[in-house]
Amino acid sequence: QSVLTQPPSVSGAPGQRVTISCTGSSANIGAHNVVHWYQQFPGTAPKLLIYGDNNRPSGVPDRFSGSKSGTSASLAITGLQAEDEADYYCQSFDSGLSGYVFGTGTKVTVL
Amino acid sequence: QVQLQESGPGLVKASQTLSLTCTVSGGSITSGTYYWTWIRQHPGKGLEWIGYIYYGGNTHYNPSLRGRLTISVDTSKSQFSLRLISVTAADTAVYYCVRLAPLGVVTSRWFFDLWGRGTLVTVSS
């Protein structure tokens, strides 16, 4: 069950900045639970992109950044590149459901 | 480096039991630092957390699957397993075994840092 809502798709030209929103509630993002982000290419497993709201694992380019405010979070990609075309998922913990929850997913298209 | 590899039947008949195993290589499943989880992705859909296990046997399951689900660990083989009974077509998905990594003491803050390649399980009628 996806209790975190993301836009189905976003697009941008190479070099542009795009943002992906992740809207939750007081039971998850708003309950002081951190947000993580994953990138998934077709036919492959998701890969950790951002953890703890705004931290990048080693090897993730600094054009990816995360932020959080209230019951929502955002992933920004600055200087969009063709290789960034993928699906992106946010993830947090839902206290009401007592489990980890993912966003509905957003497909990023590079025009 | 640590790798996770899923194994098990790719086809299961409806009402029967789905069983998958994840083998952890290149590192110890008993390190104590991580929890070991299962996540699934229905075809063309988003991700669903199934449950996790600690090497000592502690488990936490998705409430929506509780009653049908068992996750177990075999530290001697560096493996953990998923068993889902009474499957239906709604259980058709790619199943991933995933490492849950710490971010502070509270597990609700933790994140999925290492994923297996995934295995497609189809439930046939």
PDB file of all heavy atoms in Angstrom, chain A residues 33-34 36 38 40 44-46 48 52 89 91 93 97-100 102, chain B residues 41 45-47 49 52 60 63 96 100 103 107-112 115-116:
ATOM      1  N   ASN A  33       9.744  11.036  11.075  1.00  0.00           N
ATOM      2  CA  ASN A  33      10.427   9.916  10.446  1.00  0.00           C
ATOM      3  C   ASN A  33      11.182  10.402   9.215  1.00  0.00           C
ATOM      4  O   ASN A  33      10.659  11.179   8.431  1.00  0.00           O
ATOM      5  CB  ASN A  33       9.424   8.834  10.042  1.00  0.00           C
ATOM      6  CG  ASN A  33       8.882   8.087  11.238  1.00  0.00           C
ATOM      7  OD1 ASN A  33       9.630   7.712  12.127  1.00  0.00           O
ATOM      8  ND2 ASN A  33       7.579   7.874  11.264  1.00  0.00           N
ATOM      9  N   VAL A  34      12.373   9.956   9.066  1.00  0.00           N
ATOM     10  CA  VAL A  34      13.204  10.432   7.971  1.00  0.00           C
ATOM     11  C   VAL A  34      12.736   9.846   6.645  1.00  0.00           C
ATOM     12  O   VAL A  34      11.992   8.864   6.598  1.00  0.00           O
ATOM     13  CB  VAL A  34      14.687  10.075   8.206  1.00  0.00           C
ATOM     14  CG1 VAL A  34      15.223  10.835   9.402  1.00  0.00           C
ATOM     15  CG2 VAL A  34      14.856   8.584   8.384  1.00  0.00           C
ATOM     16  N   HIS A  36      13.939   8.570   2.734  1.00  0.00           N
ATOM     17  CA  HIS A  36      15.021   8.076   1.891  1.00  0.00           C
ATOM     18  C   HIS A  36      14.513   8.006   0.455  1.00  0.00           C
ATOM     19  O   HIS A  36      13.313   7.894   0.215  1.00  0.00           O
ATOM     20  CB  HIS A  36      15.474   6.690   2.355  1.00  0.00           C
ATOM     21  CG  HIS A  36      15.570   6.560   3.847  1.00  0.00           C
ATOM     22  ND1 HIS A  36      16.501   7.256   4.594  1.00  0.00           N
ATOM     23  CD2 HIS A  36      14.845   5.818   4.725  1.00  0.00           C
ATOM     24  CE1 HIS A  36      16.338   6.953   5.872  1.00  0.00           C
ATOM     25  NE2 HIS A  36      15.338   6.083   5.982  1.00  0.00           N
ATOM     26  N   TYR A  38      15.193   6.323  -3.605  1.00  0.00           N
ATOM     27  CA  TYR A  38      15.805   5.251  -4.397  1.00  0.00           C
ATOM     28  C   TYR A  38      15.605   5.525  -5.879  1.00  0.00           C
ATOM     29  O   TYR A  38      14.583   6.101  -6.290  1.00  0.00           O
ATOM     30  CB  TYR A  38      15.174   3.893  -4.032  1.00  0.00           C
ATOM     31  CG  TYR A  38      15.292   3.587  -2.557  1.00  0.00           C
ATOM     32  CD1 TYR A  38      14.328   4.065  -1.659  1.00  0.00           C
ATOM     33  CD2 TYR A  38      16.368   2.878  -2.041  1.00  0.00           C
ATOM     34  CE1 TYR A  38      14.439   3.831  -0.303  1.00  0.00           C
ATOM     35  CE2 TYR A  38      16.486   2.638  -0.687  1.00  0.00           C
ATOM     36  CZ  TYR A  38      15.525   3.127   0.183  1.00  0.00           C
ATOM     37  OH  TYR A  38      15.637   2.898   1.531  1.00  0.00           O
ATOM     38  N   GLN A  40      15.582   3.657  -9.693  1.00  0.00           N
ATOM     39  CA  GLN A  40      15.441   2.331 -10.310  1.00  0.00           C
ATOM     40  C   GLN A  40      15.399   2.457 -11.827  1.00  0.00           C
ATOM     41  O   GLN A  40      14.544   3.146 -12.374  1.00  0.00           O
ATOM     42  CB  GLN A  40      14.175   1.630  -9.813  1.00  0.00           C
ATOM     43  CG  GLN A  40      14.036   0.213 -10.348  1.00  0.00           C
ATOM     44  CD  GLN A  40      12.791  -0.497  -9.844  1.00  0.00           C
ATOM     45  OE1 GLN A  40      11.761   0.124  -9.588  1.00  0.00           O
ATOM     46  NE2 GLN A  40      12.881  -1.803  -9.673  1.00  0.00           N
ATOM     47  N   THR A  44      15.983  -3.523 -13.347  1.00  0.00           N
ATOM     48  CA  THR A  44      17.023  -3.648 -12.317  1.00  0.00           C
ATOM     49  C   THR A  44      16.447  -3.337 -10.944  1.00  0.00           C
ATOM     50  O   THR A  44      15.349  -2.794 -10.819  1.00  0.00           O
ATOM     51  CB  THR A  44      18.208  -2.712 -12.584  1.00  0.00           C
ATOM     52  OG1 THR A  44      17.791  -1.353 -12.374  1.00  0.00           O
ATOM     53  CG2 THR A  44      18.730  -2.869 -14.007  1.00  0.00           C
ATOM     54  N   ALA A  45      17.212  -3.687  -9.913  1.00  0.00           N
ATOM     55  CA  ALA A  45      16.786  -3.407  -8.552  1.00  0.00           C
ATOM     56  C   ALA A  45      16.957  -1.932  -8.225  1.00  0.00           C
ATOM     57  O   ALA A  45      17.807  -1.251  -8.790  1.00  0.00           O
ATOM     58  CB  ALA A  45      17.611  -4.249  -7.579  1.00  0.00           C
ATOM     59  N   PRO A  46      16.137  -1.419  -7.315  1.00  0.00           N
ATOM     60  CA  PRO A  46      16.335  -0.045  -6.848  1.00  0.00           C
ATOM     61  C   PRO A  46      17.717   0.114  -6.225  1.00  0.00           C
ATOM     62  O   PRO A  46      18.319  -0.844  -5.735  1.00  0.00           O
ATOM     63  CB  PRO A  46      15.237   0.136  -5.805  1.00  0.00           C
ATOM     64  CG  PRO A  46      14.186  -0.863  -6.182  1.00  0.00           C
ATOM     65  CD  PRO A  46      14.953  -2.036  -6.707  1.00  0.00           C
ATOM     66  N   LEU A  48      19.899   2.822  -3.564  1.00  0.00           N
ATOM     67  CA  LEU A  48      19.803   3.924  -2.604  1.00  0.00           C
ATOM     68  C   LEU A  48      20.417   5.188  -3.193  1.00  0.00           C
ATOM     69  O   LEU A  48      21.565   5.173  -3.637  1.00  0.00           O
ATOM     70  CB  LEU A  48      20.514   3.548  -1.307  1.00  0.00           C
ATOM     71  CG  LEU A  48      20.527   4.616  -0.210  1.00  0.00           C
ATOM     72  CD1 LEU A  48      19.119   4.874   0.315  1.00  0.00           C
ATOM     73  CD2 LEU A  48      21.466   4.189   0.912  1.00  0.00           C
ATOM     74  N   GLY A  52      18.332   9.467   5.079  1.00  0.00           N
ATOM     75  CA  GLY A  52      18.249  10.442   6.165  1.00  0.00           C
ATOM     76  C   GLY A  52      17.893  11.834   5.689  1.00  0.00           C
ATOM     77  O   GLY A  52      18.520  12.807   6.129  1.00  0.00           O
ATOM     78  N   TYR A  89      11.725   6.586  -6.118  1.00  0.00           N
ATOM     79  CA  TYR A  89      10.793   6.276  -5.040  1.00  0.00           C
ATOM     80  C   TYR A  89      11.268   6.904  -3.729  1.00  0.00           C
ATOM     81  O   TYR A  89      12.449   6.795  -3.388  1.00  0.00           O
ATOM     82  CB  TYR A  89      10.684   4.765  -4.822  1.00  0.00           C
ATOM     83  CG  TYR A  89      10.060   4.013  -5.971  1.00  0.00           C
ATOM     84  CD1 TYR A  89      10.840   3.496  -7.002  1.00  0.00           C
ATOM     85  CD2 TYR A  89       8.685   3.805  -6.023  1.00  0.00           C
ATOM     86  CE1 TYR A  89      10.271   2.805  -8.055  1.00  0.00           C
ATOM     87  CE2 TYR A  89       8.103   3.111  -7.067  1.00  0.00           C
ATOM     88  CZ  TYR A  89       8.903   2.615  -8.088  1.00  0.00           C
ATOM     89  OH  TYR A  89       8.326   1.924  -9.122  1.00  0.00           O
ATOM     90  N   GLN A  91      10.732   6.858   0.519  1.00  0.00           N
ATOM     91  CA  GLN A  91      10.438   5.812   1.508  1.00  0.00           C
ATOM     92  C   GLN A  91      10.553   6.387   2.905  1.00  0.00           C
ATOM     93  O   GLN A  91      11.432   7.197   3.176  1.00  0.00           O
ATOM     94  CB  GLN A  91      11.398   4.631   1.325  1.00  0.00           C
ATOM     95  CG  GLN A  91      11.237   3.512   2.341  1.00  0.00           C
ATOM     96  CD  GLN A  91      12.342   3.498   3.361  1.00  0.00           C
ATOM     97  OE1 GLN A  91      13.525   3.530   3.043  1.00  0.00           O
ATOM     98  NE2 GLN A  91      11.978   3.416   4.629  1.00  0.00           N
ATOM     99  N   PHE A  93       8.778   5.574   7.233  1.00  0.00           N
ATOM    100  CA  PHE A  93       8.158   4.602   8.141  1.00  0.00           C
ATOM    101  C   PHE A  93       6.820   5.161   8.583  1.00  0.00           C
ATOM    102  O   PHE A  93       6.725   6.359   8.914  1.00  0.00           O
ATOM    103  CB  PHE A  93       9.066   4.355   9.341  1.00  0.00           C
ATOM    104  CG  PHE A  93       8.575   3.260  10.253  1.00  0.00           C
ATOM    105  CD1 PHE A  93       8.976   1.949  10.059  1.00  0.00           C
ATOM    106  CD2 PHE A  93       7.704   3.544  11.296  1.00  0.00           C
ATOM    107  CE1 PHE A  93       8.529   0.921  10.890  1.00  0.00           C
ATOM    108  CE2 PHE A  93       7.248   2.539  12.127  1.00  0.00           C
ATOM    109  CZ  PHE A  93       7.662   1.218  11.925  1.00  0.00           C
ATOM    110  N   LEU A  97       0.725   2.218  10.412  1.00  0.00           N
ATOM    111  CA  LEU A  97       0.791   0.919   9.760  1.00  0.00           C
ATOM    112  C   LEU A  97       1.881   0.043  10.369  1.00  0.00           C
ATOM    113  O   LEU A  97       1.964  -1.146  10.065  1.00  0.00           O
ATOM    114  CB  LEU A  97       1.065   1.101   8.276  1.00  0.00           C
ATOM    115  CG  LEU A  97      -0.020   1.836   7.471  1.00  0.00           C
ATOM    116  CD1 LEU A  97       0.441   2.090   6.046  1.00  0.00           C
ATOM    117  CD2 LEU A  97      -1.320   1.032   7.483  1.00  0.00           C
ATOM    118  N   SER A  98       2.717   0.640  11.193  1.00  0.00           N
ATOM    119  CA  SER A  98       3.820  -0.083  11.828  1.00  0.00           C
ATOM    120  C   SER A  98       4.692  -0.780  10.783  1.00  0.00           C
ATOM    121  O   SER A  98       4.969  -1.989  10.899  1.00  0.00           O
ATOM    122  CB  SER A  98       3.271  -1.116  12.813  1.00  0.00           C
ATOM    123  OG  SER A  98       4.336  -1.677  13.582  1.00  0.00           O
ATOM    124  N   GLY A  99       5.090  -0.013   9.785  1.00  0.00           N
ATOM    125  CA  GLY A  99       5.947  -0.610   8.770  1.00  0.00           C
ATOM    126  C   GLY A  99       6.536   0.430   7.842  1.00  0.00           C
ATOM    127  O   GLY A  99       6.154   1.600   7.840  1.00  0.00           O
ATOM    128  N   TYR A 100       7.479  -0.037   7.042  1.00  0.00           N
ATOM    129  CA  TYR A 100       8.131   0.837   6.073  1.00  0.00           C
ATOM    130  C   TYR A 100       7.209   1.009   4.864  1.00  0.00           C
ATOM    131  O   TYR A 100       6.592   0.044   4.406  1.00  0.00           O
ATOM    132  CB  TYR A 100       9.468   0.227   5.643  1.00  0.00           C
ATOM    133  CG  TYR A 100      10.407   0.024   6.807  1.00  0.00           C
ATOM    134  CD1 TYR A 100      10.442  -1.171   7.504  1.00  0.00           C
ATOM    135  CD2 TYR A 100      11.247   1.057   7.234  1.00  0.00           C
ATOM    136  CE1 TYR A 100      11.278  -1.340   8.593  1.00  0.00           C
ATOM    137  CE2 TYR A 100      12.092   0.889   8.321  1.00  0.00           C
ATOM    138  CZ  TYR A 100      12.094  -0.306   8.999  1.00  0.00           C
ATOM    139  OH  TYR A 100      12.926  -0.467  10.075  1.00  0.00           O
ATOM    140  N   PHE A 102       6.581   3.029   0.945  1.00  0.00           N
ATOM    141  CA  PHE A 102       7.201   3.652  -0.210  1.00  0.00           C
ATOM    142  C   PHE A 102       6.226   4.596  -0.895  1.00  0.00           C
ATOM    143  O   PHE A 102       5.014   4.474  -0.761  1.00  0.00           O
ATOM    144  CB  PHE A 102       7.629   2.578  -1.225  1.00  0.00           C
ATOM    145  CG  PHE A 102       8.794   1.750  -0.778  1.00  0.00           C
ATOM    146  CD1 PHE A 102       8.594   0.578  -0.062  1.00  0.00           C
ATOM    147  CD2 PHE A 102      10.101   2.137  -1.071  1.00  0.00           C
ATOM    148  CE1 PHE A 102       9.672  -0.193   0.347  1.00  0.00           C
ATOM    149  CE2 PHE A 102      11.176   1.381  -0.678  1.00  0.00           C
ATOM    150  CZ  PHE A 102      10.965   0.205   0.036  1.00  0.00           C
TER     151      PHE A 102
ATOM    152  N   GLN B  41       7.789  -6.118  -5.612  1.00  0.00           N
ATOM    153  CA  GLN B  41       7.315  -5.116  -6.567  1.00  0.00           C
ATOM    154  C   GLN B  41       6.401  -5.813  -7.564  1.00  0.00           C
ATOM    155  O   GLN B  41       6.861  -6.633  -8.372  1.00  0.00           O
ATOM    156  CB  GLN B  41       8.497  -4.455  -7.277  1.00  0.00           C
ATOM    157  CG  GLN B  41       8.112  -3.310  -8.190  1.00  0.00           C
ATOM    158  CD  GLN B  41       9.339  -2.527  -8.665  1.00  0.00           C
ATOM    159  OE1 GLN B  41      10.427  -3.072  -8.830  1.00  0.00           O
ATOM    160  NE2 GLN B  41       9.175  -1.228  -8.886  1.00  0.00           N
ATOM    161  N   LYS B  45       4.433  -1.872 -11.003  1.00  0.00           N
ATOM    162  CA  LYS B  45       3.926  -1.113  -9.850  1.00  0.00           C
ATOM    163  C   LYS B  45       5.046  -0.694  -8.917  1.00  0.00           C
ATOM    164  O   LYS B  45       6.234  -0.866  -9.209  1.00  0.00           O
ATOM    165  CB  LYS B  45       2.912  -1.977  -9.085  1.00  0.00           C
ATOM    166  CG  LYS B  45       1.742  -2.436  -9.905  1.00  0.00           C
ATOM    167  CD  LYS B  45       0.853  -1.302 -10.344  1.00  0.00           C
ATOM    168  CE  LYS B  45      -0.379  -1.802 -11.078  1.00  0.00           C
ATOM    169  NZ  LYS B  45      -1.237  -0.679 -11.555  1.00  0.00           N
ATOM    170  N   GLY B  46       4.637  -0.155  -7.775  1.00  0.00           N
ATOM    171  CA  GLY B  46       5.600   0.320  -6.796  1.00  0.00           C
ATOM    172  C   GLY B  46       6.107  -0.776  -5.880  1.00  0.00           C
ATOM    173  O   GLY B  46       5.874  -1.959  -6.082  1.00  0.00           O
ATOM    174  N   LEU B  47       6.806  -0.351  -4.844  1.00  0.00           N
ATOM    175  CA  LEU B  47       7.494  -1.241  -3.927  1.00  0.00           C
ATOM    176  C   LEU B  47       6.681  -1.468  -2.658  1.00  0.00           C
ATOM    177  O   LEU B  47       6.040  -0.538  -2.146  1.00  0.00           O
ATOM    178  CB  LEU B  47       8.856  -0.643  -3.568  1.00  0.00           C
ATOM    179  CG  LEU B  47       9.785  -0.423  -4.763  1.00  0.00           C
ATOM    180  CD1 LEU B  47      10.866   0.593  -4.422  1.00  0.00           C
ATOM    181  CD2 LEU B  47      10.411  -1.742  -5.184  1.00  0.00           C
ATOM    182  N   TRP B  49       7.132  -3.220   1.229  1.00  0.00           N
ATOM    183  CA  TRP B  49       7.937  -3.882   2.248  1.00  0.00           C
ATOM    184  C   TRP B  49       7.179  -5.082   2.786  1.00  0.00           C
ATOM    185  O   TRP B  49       5.998  -4.976   3.138  1.00  0.00           O
ATOM    186  CB  TRP B  49       8.257  -2.900   3.362  1.00  0.00           C
ATOM    187  CG  TRP B  49       8.900  -3.512   4.558  1.00  0.00           C
ATOM    188  CD1 TRP B  49      10.175  -3.979   4.672  1.00  0.00           C
ATOM    189  CD2 TRP B  49       8.287  -3.757   5.825  1.00  0.00           C
ATOM    190  NE1 TRP B  49      10.389  -4.480   5.929  1.00  0.00           N
ATOM    191  CE2 TRP B  49       9.256  -4.358   6.657  1.00  0.00           C
ATOM    192  CE3 TRP B  49       7.019  -3.510   6.345  1.00  0.00           C
ATOM    193  CZ2 TRP B  49       8.990  -4.721   7.980  1.00  0.00           C
ATOM    194  CZ3 TRP B  49       6.747  -3.859   7.656  1.00  0.00           C
ATOM    195  CH2 TRP B  49       7.736  -4.465   8.453  1.00  0.00           C
ATOM    196  N   TYR B  52      11.073  -8.006   7.988  1.00  0.00           N
ATOM    197  CA  TYR B  52      12.506  -8.155   8.229  1.00  0.00           C
ATOM    198  C   TYR B  52      12.776  -9.146   9.346  1.00  0.00           C
ATOM    199  O   TYR B  52      11.890  -9.495  10.122  1.00  0.00           O
ATOM    200  CB  TYR B  52      13.172  -6.809   8.505  1.00  0.00           C
ATOM    201  CG  TYR B  52      12.854  -6.120   9.836  1.00  0.00           C
ATOM    202  CD1 TYR B  52      13.078  -6.728  11.064  1.00  0.00           C
ATOM    203  CD2 TYR B  52      12.375  -4.811   9.835  1.00  0.00           C
ATOM    204  CE1 TYR B  52      12.816  -6.067  12.261  1.00  0.00           C
ATOM    205  CE2 TYR B  52      12.106  -4.140  11.024  1.00  0.00           C
ATOM    206  CZ  TYR B  52      12.330  -4.775  12.229  1.00  0.00           C
ATOM    207  OH  TYR B  52      12.068  -4.113  13.406  1.00  0.00           O
ATOM    208  N   HIS B  60       9.752  -8.654  12.145  1.00  0.00           N
ATOM    209  CA  HIS B  60       8.686  -7.655  12.079  1.00  0.00           C
ATOM    210  C   HIS B  60       8.086  -7.749  10.690  1.00  0.00           C
ATOM    211  O   HIS B  60       8.812  -7.641   9.705  1.00  0.00           O
ATOM    212  CB  HIS B  60       9.241  -6.259  12.331  1.00  0.00           C
ATOM    213  CG  HIS B  60       8.185  -5.192  12.387  1.00  0.00           C
ATOM    214  ND1 HIS B  60       6.968  -5.368  13.003  1.00  0.00           N
ATOM    215  CD2 HIS B  60       8.163  -3.926  11.901  1.00  0.00           C
ATOM    216  CE1 HIS B  60       6.265  -4.266  12.898  1.00  0.00           C
ATOM    217  NE2 HIS B  60       6.953  -3.374  12.227  1.00  0.00           N
ATOM    218  N   PRO B  63       1.834  -5.740   8.416  1.00  0.00           N
ATOM    219  CA  PRO B  63       0.555  -6.215   8.956  1.00  0.00           C
ATOM    220  C   PRO B  63      -0.383  -6.779   7.899  1.00  0.00           C
ATOM    221  O   PRO B  63      -1.188  -7.664   8.205  1.00  0.00           O
ATOM    222  CB  PRO B  63      -0.023  -4.957   9.613  1.00  0.00           C
ATOM    223  CG  PRO B  63       1.170  -4.141   9.967  1.00  0.00           C
ATOM    224  CD  PRO B  63       2.142  -4.363   8.857  1.00  0.00           C
ATOM    225  N   TYR B  96      12.578  -9.012  -3.825  1.00  0.00           N
ATOM    226  CA  TYR B  96      13.950  -8.605  -3.565  1.00  0.00           C
ATOM    227  C   TYR B  96      14.326  -8.938  -2.128  1.00  0.00           C
ATOM    228  O   TYR B  96      13.530  -8.691  -1.204  1.00  0.00           O
ATOM    229  CB  TYR B  96      14.120  -7.101  -3.741  1.00  0.00           C
ATOM    230  CG  TYR B  96      13.893  -6.556  -5.127  1.00  0.00           C
ATOM    231  CD1 TYR B  96      12.687  -5.968  -5.478  1.00  0.00           C
ATOM    232  CD2 TYR B  96      14.903  -6.612  -6.089  1.00  0.00           C
ATOM    233  CE1 TYR B  96      12.483  -5.445  -6.754  1.00  0.00           C
ATOM    234  CE2 TYR B  96      14.713  -6.096  -7.362  1.00  0.00           C
ATOM    235  CZ  TYR B  96      13.497  -5.510  -7.686  1.00  0.00           C
ATOM    236  OH  TYR B  96      13.301  -4.997  -8.943  1.00  0.00           O
ATOM    237  N   LEU B 100      18.784  -3.897   5.492  1.00  0.00           N
ATOM    238  CA  LEU B 100      18.282  -2.703   6.175  1.00  0.00           C
ATOM    239  C   LEU B 100      19.406  -2.164   7.048  1.00  0.00           C
ATOM    240  O   LEU B 100      19.876  -2.848   7.971  1.00  0.00           O
ATOM    241  CB  LEU B 100      17.055  -3.066   7.019  1.00  0.00           C
ATOM    242  CG  LEU B 100      16.338  -1.946   7.771  1.00  0.00           C
ATOM    243  CD1 LEU B 100      15.800  -0.893   6.816  1.00  0.00           C
ATOM    244  CD2 LEU B 100      15.212  -2.528   8.624  1.00  0.00           C
ATOM    245  N   LEU B 103      20.405   3.937  10.903  1.00  0.00           N
ATOM    246  CA  LEU B 103      20.554   5.400  10.950  1.00  0.00           C
ATOM    247  C   LEU B 103      20.047   5.807  12.330  1.00  0.00           C
ATOM    248  O   LEU B 103      18.886   6.171  12.502  1.00  0.00           O
ATOM    249  CB  LEU B 103      19.742   6.057   9.835  1.00  0.00           C
ATOM    250  CG  LEU B 103      19.873   7.589   9.751  1.00  0.00           C
ATOM    251  CD1 LEU B 103      21.303   7.974   9.378  1.00  0.00           C
ATOM    252  CD2 LEU B 103      18.900   8.155   8.722  1.00  0.00           C
ATOM    253  N   THR B 107      14.762   1.834  14.664  1.00  0.00           N
ATOM    254  CA  THR B 107      14.725   1.161  13.363  1.00  0.00           C
ATOM    255  C   THR B 107      13.797   1.856  12.378  1.00  0.00           C
ATOM    256  O   THR B 107      13.929   1.653  11.172  1.00  0.00           O
ATOM    257  CB  THR B 107      14.300  -0.304  13.504  1.00  0.00           C
ATOM    258  OG1 THR B 107      13.044  -0.364  14.195  1.00  0.00           O
ATOM    259  CG2 THR B 107      15.340  -1.104  14.265  1.00  0.00           C
ATOM    260  N   SER B 108      12.874   2.671  12.844  1.00  0.00           N
ATOM    261  CA  SER B 108      11.992   3.374  11.921  1.00  0.00           C
ATOM    262  C   SER B 108      12.757   4.359  11.043  1.00  0.00           C
ATOM    263  O   SER B 108      12.252   4.790  10.008  1.00  0.00           O
ATOM    264  CB  SER B 108      10.889   4.112  12.684  1.00  0.00           C
ATOM    265  OG  SER B 108      11.438   5.095  13.538  1.00  0.00           O
ATOM    266  N   ARG B 109      13.969   4.715  11.418  1.00  0.00           N
ATOM    267  CA  ARG B 109      14.773   5.652  10.645  1.00  0.00           C
ATOM    268  C   ARG B 109      15.672   4.946   9.640  1.00  0.00           C
ATOM    269  O   ARG B 109      16.333   5.560   8.828  1.00  0.00           O
ATOM    270  CB  ARG B 109      15.648   6.480  11.592  1.00  0.00           C
ATOM    271  CG  ARG B 109      14.868   7.373  12.534  1.00  0.00           C
ATOM    272  CD  ARG B 109      15.773   8.002  13.572  1.00  0.00           C
ATOM    273  NE  ARG B 109      16.863   8.758  12.982  1.00  0.00           N
ATOM    274  CZ  ARG B 109      16.776  10.033  12.636  1.00  0.00           C
ATOM    275  NH1 ARG B 109      15.640  10.678  12.777  1.00  0.00           N
ATOM    276  NH2 ARG B 109      17.829  10.651  12.120  1.00  0.00           N
ATOM    277  N   TRP B 110      15.750   3.639   9.684  1.00  0.00           N
ATOM    278  CA  TRP B 110      16.710   2.899   8.880  1.00  0.00           C
ATOM    279  C   TRP B 110      16.324   2.882   7.416  1.00  0.00           C
ATOM    280  O   TRP B 110      15.197   3.182   7.042  1.00  0.00           O
ATOM    281  CB  TRP B 110      16.844   1.482   9.422  1.00  0.00           C
ATOM    282  CG  TRP B 110      17.472   1.427  10.787  1.00  0.00           C
ATOM    283  CD1 TRP B 110      17.548   2.433  11.713  1.00  0.00           C
ATOM    284  CD2 TRP B 110      18.099   0.288  11.380  1.00  0.00           C
ATOM    285  NE1 TRP B 110      18.188   1.993  12.836  1.00  0.00           N
ATOM    286  CE2 TRP B 110      18.542   0.697  12.667  1.00  0.00           C
ATOM    287  CE3 TRP B 110      18.338  -1.018  10.969  1.00  0.00           C
ATOM    288  CZ2 TRP B 110      19.205  -0.175  13.531  1.00  0.00           C
ATOM    289  CZ3 TRP B 110      18.995  -1.881  11.819  1.00  0.00           C
ATOM    290  CH2 TRP B 110      19.420  -1.454  13.089  1.00  0.00           C
ATOM    291  N   PHE B 111      17.282   2.499   6.578  1.00  0.00           N
ATOM    292  CA  PHE B 111      17.068   2.563   5.135  1.00  0.00           C
ATOM    293  C   PHE B 111      17.624   1.312   4.466  1.00  0.00           C
ATOM    294  O   PHE B 111      18.430   0.577   5.028  1.00  0.00           O
ATOM    295  CB  PHE B 111      17.739   3.811   4.540  1.00  0.00           C
ATOM    296  CG  PHE B 111      19.198   3.936   4.873  1.00  0.00           C
ATOM    297  CD1 PHE B 111      20.168   3.442   4.012  1.00  0.00           C
ATOM    298  CD2 PHE B 111      19.612   4.545   6.053  1.00  0.00           C
ATOM    299  CE1 PHE B 111      21.514   3.552   4.320  1.00  0.00           C
ATOM    300  CE2 PHE B 111      20.955   4.654   6.369  1.00  0.00           C
ATOM    301  CZ  PHE B 111      21.913   4.163   5.507  1.00  0.00           C
ATOM    302  N   PHE B 112      17.189   1.081   3.227  1.00  0.00           N
ATOM    303  CA  PHE B 112      17.548  -0.118   2.486  1.00  0.00           C
ATOM    304  C   PHE B 112      18.769   0.178   1.608  1.00  0.00           C
ATOM    305  O   PHE B 112      18.636   0.811   0.561  1.00  0.00           O
ATOM    306  CB  PHE B 112      16.350  -0.571   1.648  1.00  0.00           C
ATOM    307  CG  PHE B 112      15.105  -0.786   2.475  1.00  0.00           C
ATOM    308  CD1 PHE B 112      14.060   0.120   2.433  1.00  0.00           C
ATOM    309  CD2 PHE B 112      15.012  -1.885   3.317  1.00  0.00           C
ATOM    310  CE1 PHE B 112      12.914  -0.069   3.203  1.00  0.00           C
ATOM    311  CE2 PHE B 112      13.870  -2.085   4.096  1.00  0.00           C
ATOM    312  CZ  PHE B 112      12.825  -1.177   4.050  1.00  0.00           C
ATOM    313  N   TRP B 115      20.625  -4.160  -2.225  1.00  0.00           N
ATOM    314  CA  TRP B 115      19.544  -4.938  -2.805  1.00  0.00           C
ATOM    315  C   TRP B 115      20.083  -6.107  -3.608  1.00  0.00           C
ATOM    316  O   TRP B 115      21.113  -5.993  -4.293  1.00  0.00           O
ATOM    317  CB  TRP B 115      18.708  -4.063  -3.741  1.00  0.00           C
ATOM    318  CG  TRP B 115      18.024  -2.903  -3.086  1.00  0.00           C
ATOM    319  CD1 TRP B 115      18.626  -1.839  -2.472  1.00  0.00           C
ATOM    320  CD2 TRP B 115      16.626  -2.687  -2.991  1.00  0.00           C
ATOM    321  NE1 TRP B 115      17.667  -0.967  -1.989  1.00  0.00           N
ATOM    322  CE2 TRP B 115      16.428  -1.474  -2.305  1.00  0.00           C
ATOM    323  CE3 TRP B 115      15.499  -3.390  -3.425  1.00  0.00           C
ATOM    324  CZ2 TRP B 115      15.161  -0.952  -2.036  1.00  0.00           C
ATOM    325  CZ3 TRP B 115      14.244  -2.877  -3.171  1.00  0.00           C
ATOM    326  CH2 TRP B 115      14.072  -1.666  -2.482  1.00  0.00           C
ATOM    327  N   GLY B 116      19.354  -7.238  -3.552  1.00  0.00           N
ATOM    328  CA  GLY B 116      19.616  -8.313  -4.485  1.00  0.00           C
ATOM    329  C   GLY B 116      19.060  -7.937  -5.845  1.00  0.00           C
ATOM    330  O   GLY B 116      18.396  -6.904  -6.000  1.00  0.00           O
TER     331      GLY B 116
END
